Amino acid sequence: MGLKSYDTTIARRGTDIAGEKEKKKTAGKRLSRQTRENIFGYLFISPWIIGFLGLTLGPLLFSLFASFTDYNITSKMNFIGLDNFKRMFTIDDLFKTSLWNTLYYVLFSVPLTTAGAIFLSVLLNQKIKGMKFFRTLYYLPAILSGVAVYFLWMQLLSPSTGLVNTFLGWFGIEGPAWLFDPEWTKPALLLMKMWSVGGGMLLYLASLQGVSSSMYEAAELDGAGAMQKFFYITLPMISPIIFFDVLTSTIGSFQIFQEAYVMTENGSGGPGNSLLFYNLHMWNNAFEVFDMGYASAMAWLLFIVVMILTVINMKLGKKWVHYEGGDNK
């Protein structure tokens, strides 16, 4: 009996060892299969990785290093530390002008376009005959080519023959010189910006159509008027879209460049440098006088400013943005 028990124990141990070996082989196969899947996954996303490393991260790091150098493309990069940043605030008067012009544009364009898009979306959310036609009509300016639009507005804002001043003249109002008057150049761009709020309008319109009608019906039973329903139901329900629009519009407004470059002579920034925006001044330093080191420093300062404002908006958004379910995120 003792020998049989010993043989049985040995046989069980052999079976256990064989089972463990089989498990290891199976695990190895599973690991190799998962590894192959990972390899194929990386191969599929490799074009993006190569593009990011070569076309985004590489130039980003290069510009960061160039911002601390005296570099004009053709010469050797000489490290000068923070001299480029000191030059912005102490020597370059056009830097302050361009920064003020950009801040002016941001402070007025973001609230005006946001309010205009909301107002327009509320009007176009009414259930009346022919509303689809008006929605299409107001959205069309948002899909037109930028340069073509700029030339169109240059004709519309012509002091002598433009349709805008002609229309004002019908009411006995003498129109300004617009793009030829330093006091009216930036309002002219704001007017042009308001004309193309159709993109934001479409976002708000989609959001408005997602608001339950039962909420408005309950408010009416409580005696709420149109303005009360707008401020206490409509705005809170579309606040995530408002937050998104304000955030992206702020970033986009800081990057204004094409309008001033196309609508001013040789990209000079208009009369009295009234349209010399930050990006235009940076462009002129980079590609007109080829001071790449200084232009890179300007680019990184703009990046820091936009990043700080974005973080502030994200923090403040938690106090007034209301997400579905009642939780602010």
Side-chain angles (χ1 to χ4, degrees), residues 33-53:
R33 187 183 303 115
Q34 183 177 1
T35 302
R36 289 197 300 270
E37 291 177 355
N38 290 339
I39 292 174
F40 281 118
Y42 285 117
L43 286 176
F44 281 122
I45 66 173
S46 61
W48 180 89
I49 294 176
I50 295 173
F52 174 76
L53 295 176

PDB file of all heavy atoms in Angstrom, residues 33-53:
ATOM      1  N   ARG A  33       0.058  37.066 -28.702  1.00  0.00           N
ATOM      2  CA  ARG A  33      -1.055  37.588 -29.492  1.00  0.00           C
ATOM      3  C   ARG A  33      -1.329  39.031 -29.123  1.00  0.00           C
ATOM      4  O   ARG A  33      -1.561  39.885 -29.992  1.00  0.00           O
ATOM      5  CB  ARG A  33      -2.291  36.728 -29.256  1.00  0.00           C
ATOM      6  CG  ARG A  33      -3.459  37.101 -30.178  1.00  0.00           C
ATOM      7  CD  ARG A  33      -4.701  36.287 -29.871  1.00  0.00           C
ATOM      8  NE  ARG A  33      -4.433  34.855 -29.980  1.00  0.00           N
ATOM      9  CZ  ARG A  33      -4.476  34.000 -28.959  1.00  0.00           C
ATOM     10  NH1 ARG A  33      -4.723  34.451 -27.724  1.00  0.00           N
ATOM     11  NH2 ARG A  33      -4.244  32.726 -29.139  1.00  0.00           N
ATOM     12  N   GLN A  34      -1.315  39.348 -27.837  1.00  0.00           N
ATOM     13  CA  GLN A  34      -1.543  40.724 -27.390  1.00  0.00           C
ATOM     14  C   GLN A  34      -0.421  41.634 -27.863  1.00  0.00           C
ATOM     15  O   GLN A  34      -0.661  42.776 -28.271  1.00  0.00           O
ATOM     16  CB  GLN A  34      -1.642  40.765 -25.863  1.00  0.00           C
ATOM     17  CG  GLN A  34      -1.962  42.148 -25.311  1.00  0.00           C
ATOM     18  CD  GLN A  34      -2.112  42.132 -23.809  1.00  0.00           C
ATOM     19  OE1 GLN A  34      -1.956  41.098 -23.163  1.00  0.00           O
ATOM     20  NE2 GLN A  34      -2.414  43.280 -23.239  1.00  0.00           N
ATOM     21  N   THR A  35       0.798  41.105 -27.829  1.00  0.00           N
ATOM     22  CA  THR A  35       1.922  41.900 -28.310  1.00  0.00           C
ATOM     23  C   THR A  35       1.775  42.215 -29.796  1.00  0.00           C
ATOM     24  O   THR A  35       2.038  43.338 -30.236  1.00  0.00           O
ATOM     25  CB  THR A  35       3.242  41.147 -28.068  1.00  0.00           C
ATOM     26  OG1 THR A  35       3.373  40.875 -26.660  1.00  0.00           O
ATOM     27  CG2 THR A  35       4.427  41.984 -28.530  1.00  0.00           C
ATOM     28  N   ARG A  36       1.338  41.205 -30.566  1.00  0.00           N
ATOM     29  CA  ARG A  36       1.130  41.436 -31.994  1.00  0.00           C
ATOM     30  C   ARG A  36       0.051  42.489 -32.227  1.00  0.00           C
ATOM     31  O   ARG A  36       0.182  43.351 -33.102  1.00  0.00           O
ATOM     32  CB  ARG A  36       0.756  40.124 -32.685  1.00  0.00           C
ATOM     33  CG  ARG A  36       1.902  39.129 -32.808  1.00  0.00           C
ATOM     34  CD  ARG A  36       1.575  38.072 -33.850  1.00  0.00           C
ATOM     35  NE  ARG A  36       0.366  37.328 -33.490  1.00  0.00           N
ATOM     36  CZ  ARG A  36       0.352  36.218 -32.760  1.00  0.00           C
ATOM     37  NH1 ARG A  36       1.497  35.723 -32.303  1.00  0.00           N
ATOM     38  NH2 ARG A  36      -0.777  35.605 -32.498  1.00  0.00           N
ATOM     39  N   GLU A  37      -1.010  42.419 -31.443  1.00  0.00           N
ATOM     40  CA  GLU A  37      -2.070  43.418 -31.584  1.00  0.00           C
ATOM     41  C   GLU A  37      -1.566  44.818 -31.244  1.00  0.00           C
ATOM     42  O   GLU A  37      -1.921  45.795 -31.915  1.00  0.00           O
ATOM     43  CB  GLU A  37      -3.248  43.050 -30.687  1.00  0.00           C
ATOM     44  CG  GLU A  37      -3.999  41.800 -31.154  1.00  0.00           C
ATOM     45  CD  GLU A  37      -5.118  41.427 -30.198  1.00  0.00           C
ATOM     46  OE1 GLU A  37      -5.224  42.089 -29.134  1.00  0.00           O
ATOM     47  OE2 GLU A  37      -5.876  40.492 -30.511  1.00  0.00           O
ATOM     48  N   ASN A  38      -0.735  44.899 -30.210  1.00  0.00           N
ATOM     49  CA  ASN A  38      -0.163  46.206 -29.856  1.00  0.00           C
ATOM     50  C   ASN A  38       0.727  46.743 -30.975  1.00  0.00           C
ATOM     51  O   ASN A  38       0.701  47.942 -31.287  1.00  0.00           O
ATOM     52  CB  ASN A  38       0.652  46.094 -28.564  1.00  0.00           C
ATOM     53  CG  ASN A  38      -0.231  45.855 -27.349  1.00  0.00           C
ATOM     54  OD1 ASN A  38      -1.430  46.140 -27.373  1.00  0.00           O
ATOM     55  ND2 ASN A  38       0.354  45.308 -26.297  1.00  0.00           N
ATOM     56  N   ILE A  39       1.506  45.855 -31.580  1.00  0.00           N
ATOM     57  CA  ILE A  39       2.383  46.272 -32.665  1.00  0.00           C
ATOM     58  C   ILE A  39       1.563  46.801 -33.836  1.00  0.00           C
ATOM     59  O   ILE A  39       1.871  47.853 -34.414  1.00  0.00           O
ATOM     60  CB  ILE A  39       3.284  45.106 -33.112  1.00  0.00           C
ATOM     61  CG1 ILE A  39       4.289  44.760 -31.993  1.00  0.00           C
ATOM     62  CG2 ILE A  39       4.019  45.447 -34.405  1.00  0.00           C
ATOM     63  CD1 ILE A  39       5.116  43.529 -32.289  1.00  0.00           C
ATOM     64  N   PHE A  40       0.497  46.066 -34.190  1.00  0.00           N
ATOM     65  CA  PHE A  40      -0.356  46.523 -35.284  1.00  0.00           C
ATOM     66  C   PHE A  40      -1.021  47.855 -34.934  1.00  0.00           C
ATOM     67  O   PHE A  40      -1.177  48.729 -35.806  1.00  0.00           O
ATOM     68  CB  PHE A  40      -1.418  45.475 -35.592  1.00  0.00           C
ATOM     69  CG  PHE A  40      -0.911  44.326 -36.416  1.00  0.00           C
ATOM     70  CD1 PHE A  40      -0.918  43.032 -35.923  1.00  0.00           C
ATOM     71  CD2 PHE A  40      -0.414  44.551 -37.700  1.00  0.00           C
ATOM     72  CE1 PHE A  40      -0.454  41.976 -36.676  1.00  0.00           C
ATOM     73  CE2 PHE A  40       0.060  43.497 -38.467  1.00  0.00           C
ATOM     74  CZ  PHE A  40       0.035  42.209 -37.956  1.00  0.00           C
ATOM     75  N   GLY A  41      -1.382  48.013 -33.655  1.00  0.00           N
ATOM     76  CA  GLY A  41      -1.988  49.278 -33.242  1.00  0.00           C
ATOM     77  C   GLY A  41      -1.040  50.453 -33.395  1.00  0.00           C
ATOM     78  O   GLY A  41      -1.416  51.510 -33.919  1.00  0.00           O
ATOM     79  N   TYR A  42       0.207  50.235 -32.971  1.00  0.00           N
ATOM     80  CA  TYR A  42       1.202  51.299 -33.116  1.00  0.00           C
ATOM     81  C   TYR A  42       1.521  51.572 -34.581  1.00  0.00           C
ATOM     82  O   TYR A  42       1.808  52.717 -34.962  1.00  0.00           O
ATOM     83  CB  TYR A  42       2.478  50.942 -32.361  1.00  0.00           C
ATOM     84  CG  TYR A  42       2.361  51.101 -30.863  1.00  0.00           C
ATOM     85  CD1 TYR A  42       2.491  50.012 -30.014  1.00  0.00           C
ATOM     86  CD2 TYR A  42       2.105  52.353 -30.305  1.00  0.00           C
ATOM     87  CE1 TYR A  42       2.367  50.164 -28.641  1.00  0.00           C
ATOM     88  CE2 TYR A  42       1.988  52.512 -28.935  1.00  0.00           C
ATOM     89  CZ  TYR A  42       2.113  51.410 -28.106  1.00  0.00           C
ATOM     90  OH  TYR A  42       1.988  51.566 -26.755  1.00  0.00           O
ATOM     91  N   LEU A  43       1.488  50.528 -35.418  1.00  0.00           N
ATOM     92  CA  LEU A  43       1.728  50.734 -36.843  1.00  0.00           C
ATOM     93  C   LEU A  43       0.627  51.597 -37.456  1.00  0.00           C
ATOM     94  O   LEU A  43       0.890  52.458 -38.304  1.00  0.00           O
ATOM     95  CB  LEU A  43       1.809  49.387 -37.573  1.00  0.00           C
ATOM     96  CG  LEU A  43       3.086  48.579 -37.353  1.00  0.00           C
ATOM     97  CD1 LEU A  43       2.979  47.232 -38.050  1.00  0.00           C
ATOM     98  CD2 LEU A  43       4.297  49.346 -37.868  1.00  0.00           C
ATOM     99  N   PHE A  44      -0.615  51.368 -37.032  1.00  0.00           N
ATOM    100  CA  PHE A  44      -1.729  52.138 -37.576  1.00  0.00           C
ATOM    101  C   PHE A  44      -1.652  53.615 -37.186  1.00  0.00           C
ATOM    102  O   PHE A  44      -2.031  54.491 -37.967  1.00  0.00           O
ATOM    103  CB  PHE A  44      -3.061  51.550 -37.119  1.00  0.00           C
ATOM    104  CG  PHE A  44      -3.482  50.338 -37.903  1.00  0.00           C
ATOM    105  CD1 PHE A  44      -3.722  49.132 -37.276  1.00  0.00           C
ATOM    106  CD2 PHE A  44      -3.634  50.408 -39.282  1.00  0.00           C
ATOM    107  CE1 PHE A  44      -4.101  48.012 -37.996  1.00  0.00           C
ATOM    108  CE2 PHE A  44      -4.013  49.287 -40.016  1.00  0.00           C
ATOM    109  CZ  PHE A  44      -4.258  48.087 -39.378  1.00  0.00           C
ATOM    110  N   ILE A  45      -1.187  53.894 -35.966  1.00  0.00           N
ATOM    111  CA  ILE A  45      -1.123  55.295 -35.521  1.00  0.00           C
ATOM    112  C   ILE A  45       0.253  55.906 -35.760  1.00  0.00           C
ATOM    113  O   ILE A  45       0.479  57.062 -35.404  1.00  0.00           O
ATOM    114  CB  ILE A  45      -1.488  55.419 -34.030  1.00  0.00           C
ATOM    115  CG1 ILE A  45      -0.440  54.728 -33.142  1.00  0.00           C
ATOM    116  CG2 ILE A  45      -2.871  54.895 -33.756  1.00  0.00           C
ATOM    117  CD1 ILE A  45      -0.651  54.963 -31.658  1.00  0.00           C
ATOM    118  N   SER A  46       1.162  55.131 -36.369  1.00  0.00           N
ATOM    119  CA  SER A  46       2.517  55.653 -36.609  1.00  0.00           C
ATOM    120  C   SER A  46       2.546  56.898 -37.485  1.00  0.00           C
ATOM    121  O   SER A  46       3.377  57.784 -37.239  1.00  0.00           O
ATOM    122  CB  SER A  46       3.404  54.556 -37.208  1.00  0.00           C
ATOM    123  OG  SER A  46       2.876  54.107 -38.453  1.00  0.00           O
ATOM    124  N   PRO A  47       1.684  57.042 -38.513  1.00  0.00           N
ATOM    125  CA  PRO A  47       1.720  58.308 -39.272  1.00  0.00           C
ATOM    126  C   PRO A  47       1.458  59.524 -38.394  1.00  0.00           C
ATOM    127  O   PRO A  47       2.109  60.563 -38.559  1.00  0.00           O
ATOM    128  CB  PRO A  47       0.609  58.113 -40.317  1.00  0.00           C
ATOM    129  CG  PRO A  47       0.525  56.638 -40.494  1.00  0.00           C
ATOM    130  CD  PRO A  47       0.776  56.065 -39.143  1.00  0.00           C
ATOM    131  N   TRP A  48       0.492  59.388 -37.462  1.00  0.00           N
ATOM    132  CA  TRP A  48       0.227  60.520 -36.565  1.00  0.00           C
ATOM    133  C   TRP A  48       1.415  60.760 -35.636  1.00  0.00           C
ATOM    134  O   TRP A  48       1.795  61.908 -35.394  1.00  0.00           O
ATOM    135  CB  TRP A  48      -1.025  60.255 -35.740  1.00  0.00           C
ATOM    136  CG  TRP A  48      -1.342  61.385 -34.799  1.00  0.00           C
ATOM    137  CD1 TRP A  48      -2.098  62.484 -35.056  1.00  0.00           C
ATOM    138  CD2 TRP A  48      -0.862  61.535 -33.445  1.00  0.00           C
ATOM    139  NE1 TRP A  48      -2.145  63.304 -33.974  1.00  0.00           N
ATOM    140  CE2 TRP A  48      -1.391  62.760 -32.961  1.00  0.00           C
ATOM    141  CE3 TRP A  48      -0.063  60.772 -32.613  1.00  0.00           C
ATOM    142  CZ2 TRP A  48      -1.137  63.225 -31.677  1.00  0.00           C
ATOM    143  CZ3 TRP A  48       0.201  61.224 -31.337  1.00  0.00           C
ATOM    144  CH2 TRP A  48      -0.328  62.437 -30.881  1.00  0.00           C
ATOM    145  N   ILE A  49       2.003  59.679 -35.101  1.00  0.00           N
ATOM    146  CA  ILE A  49       3.138  59.830 -34.182  1.00  0.00           C
ATOM    147  C   ILE A  49       4.308  60.497 -34.894  1.00  0.00           C
ATOM    148  O   ILE A  49       4.935  61.429 -34.363  1.00  0.00           O
ATOM    149  CB  ILE A  49       3.561  58.456 -33.618  1.00  0.00           C
ATOM    150  CG1 ILE A  49       2.440  57.881 -32.740  1.00  0.00           C
ATOM    151  CG2 ILE A  49       4.844  58.582 -32.813  1.00  0.00           C
ATOM    152  CD1 ILE A  49       2.735  56.486 -32.220  1.00  0.00           C
ATOM    153  N   ILE A  50       4.603  60.036 -36.122  1.00  0.00           N
ATOM    154  CA  ILE A  50       5.697  60.637 -36.884  1.00  0.00           C
ATOM    155  C   ILE A  50       5.401  62.102 -37.178  1.00  0.00           C
ATOM    156  O   ILE A  50       6.271  62.971 -37.057  1.00  0.00           O
ATOM    157  CB  ILE A  50       5.929  59.848 -38.181  1.00  0.00           C
ATOM    158  CG1 ILE A  50       6.404  58.426 -37.862  1.00  0.00           C
ATOM    159  CG2 ILE A  50       6.942  60.556 -39.071  1.00  0.00           C
ATOM    160  CD1 ILE A  50       6.491  57.511 -39.060  1.00  0.00           C
ATOM    161  N   GLY A  51       4.142  62.385 -37.573  1.00  0.00           N
ATOM    162  CA  GLY A  51       3.776  63.770 -37.853  1.00  0.00           C
ATOM    163  C   GLY A  51       3.863  64.649 -36.623  1.00  0.00           C
ATOM    164  O   GLY A  51       4.325  65.794 -36.702  1.00  0.00           O
ATOM    165  N   PHE A  52       3.437  64.110 -35.473  1.00  0.00           N
ATOM    166  CA  PHE A  52       3.493  64.893 -34.234  1.00  0.00           C
ATOM    167  C   PHE A  52       4.930  65.175 -33.825  1.00  0.00           C
ATOM    168  O   PHE A  52       5.276  66.313 -33.478  1.00  0.00           O
ATOM    169  CB  PHE A  52       2.765  64.152 -33.113  1.00  0.00           C
ATOM    170  CG  PHE A  52       2.898  64.811 -31.777  1.00  0.00           C
ATOM    171  CD1 PHE A  52       2.166  65.944 -31.468  1.00  0.00           C
ATOM    172  CD2 PHE A  52       3.762  64.297 -30.816  1.00  0.00           C
ATOM    173  CE1 PHE A  52       2.292  66.571 -30.238  1.00  0.00           C
ATOM    174  CE2 PHE A  52       3.889  64.909 -29.580  1.00  0.00           C
ATOM    175  CZ  PHE A  52       3.145  66.045 -29.290  1.00  0.00           C
ATOM    176  N   LEU A  53       5.772  64.154 -33.894  1.00  0.00           N
ATOM    177  CA  LEU A  53       7.167  64.340 -33.488  1.00  0.00           C
ATOM    178  C   LEU A  53       7.916  65.240 -34.453  1.00  0.00           C
ATOM    179  O   LEU A  53       8.707  66.096 -34.036  1.00  0.00           O
ATOM    180  CB  LEU A  53       7.867  62.978 -33.384  1.00  0.00           C
ATOM    181  CG  LEU A  53       7.353  62.027 -32.296  1.00  0.00           C
ATOM    182  CD1 LEU A  53       8.077  60.692 -32.371  1.00  0.00           C
ATOM    183  CD2 LEU A  53       7.524  62.643 -30.914  1.00  0.00           C
TER     184      LEU A  53
END
